Amino acid sequence: RLVAYERVDAQGVPLVIGYGVATDTLFAPWYQLLPWVAATLLVLLGGIAAGTHRLTQSLATQARQGDALARSERKFRALADNLPDVVVRFDPEGRHLYANPGVERATGLPPEAFIGRTNAELGMPADKVAVWMETLRRVFATGRSERLEFSYPGPQGERHWESVVTLEPAVAGEGPTALV
């Protein structure tokens, strides 16, 4: 529909014309889609709200589990740190992940000296390292505990050791460990 025109005497622009369109005709198809768009938007918002609710619940559950895990770890450390026996935790590669204070009385080395190191790196003879690693490999492979006996020198001289190597319960998101 022609709504206005004006002749312009500028060089190269002889005429300017303006057109108008009836908006009800132009937007009619969009108006028909509006209920579907609104319904889709409401469904999406409902899904986002439900997802947010589930995420909030999940995070709260994880926080409670984290608190329970932290309490369990504190109890384990209180027990293991006060035992006269040596308690150590290994990963599948034979690295020490934990050593209680009893290890210092038995070896003369502080517990911190063990963390992240293997028995070989700590100076254990190759034949004893081979026995340790084979025992750890079997325990990690089968999940069955094994008893390991050997003699090894400490600050007070040669000592006979009797160890029980056992797979620890798996913790979500962490690799397997063995407690000795």
Side-chain angles (χ1 to χ4, degrees):
R1 174 174 101 166
L2 181 63
V3 292
Y5 73 91
E6 180 179 344
R7 186 168 296 285
V8 179
D9 289 331
Q11 189 176 33
V13 182
L15 180 65
V16 173
I17 300 174
Y19 284 93
V21 177
T23 57
D24 56 342
T25 306
L26 179 66
F27 294 121
W30 292 100
Y31 290 142
Q32 291 174 350
L33 289 176
L34 190 58
W36 293 104
V37 170
T40 303
L41 183 60
L42 287 175
V43 168
L44 286 173
L45 289 174
I48 290 171
T52 302
H53 177 69
R54 288 187 64 195
L55 179 60
T56 302
Q57 285 181 326
S58 176
L59 291 174
T61 300
Q62 286 179 346
R64 285 191 300 274
Q65 290 172 343
D67 292 344
L69 185 60
R71 281 192 305 277
S72 176
E73 179 68 17
R74 283 193 306 272
K75 288 178 181 179
F76 166 79
R77 287 193 182 270
L79 174 65
D81 287 351
N82 291 293
L83 286 174
D85 293 328
V86 174
V87 177
V88 292
R89 177 179 286 144
F90 286 95
D91 69 9
E93 287 77 38
R95 289 185 301 260
H96 291 81
L97 302 175
Y98 169 82
N100 75 337
V103 78
E104 188 166 5
R105 290 186 297 276
T107 67
L109 295 173
E112 300 80 33
F114 286 78
I115 307 305
R117 298 174 73 191
T118 64
N119 286 334
E121 293 169 332
L122 292 166
M124 183 179 275
D127 61 328
K128 291 187 182 358
V129 169
V131 171
W132 264 104
M133 291 308 295
E134 183 58 28
T135 302
L136 280 174
R137 186 197 61 73
R138 282 192 309 270
V139 169
F140 280 111
T142 66
R144 289 192 307 267
S145 297
E146 289 198 25
R147 185 174 304 276
L148 178 63
E149 295 186 37
F150 62 98
S151 294
Y152 192 74
Q156 293 86 26
E158 188 83 10
R159 289 184 57 177
H160 181 75
W161 294 87
E162 181 181 333
S163 301
V164 175
V165 183
T166 188
L167 193 62
E168 290 189 281
V171 176
E174 294 184 13
T177 56
L179 196 61
V180 180

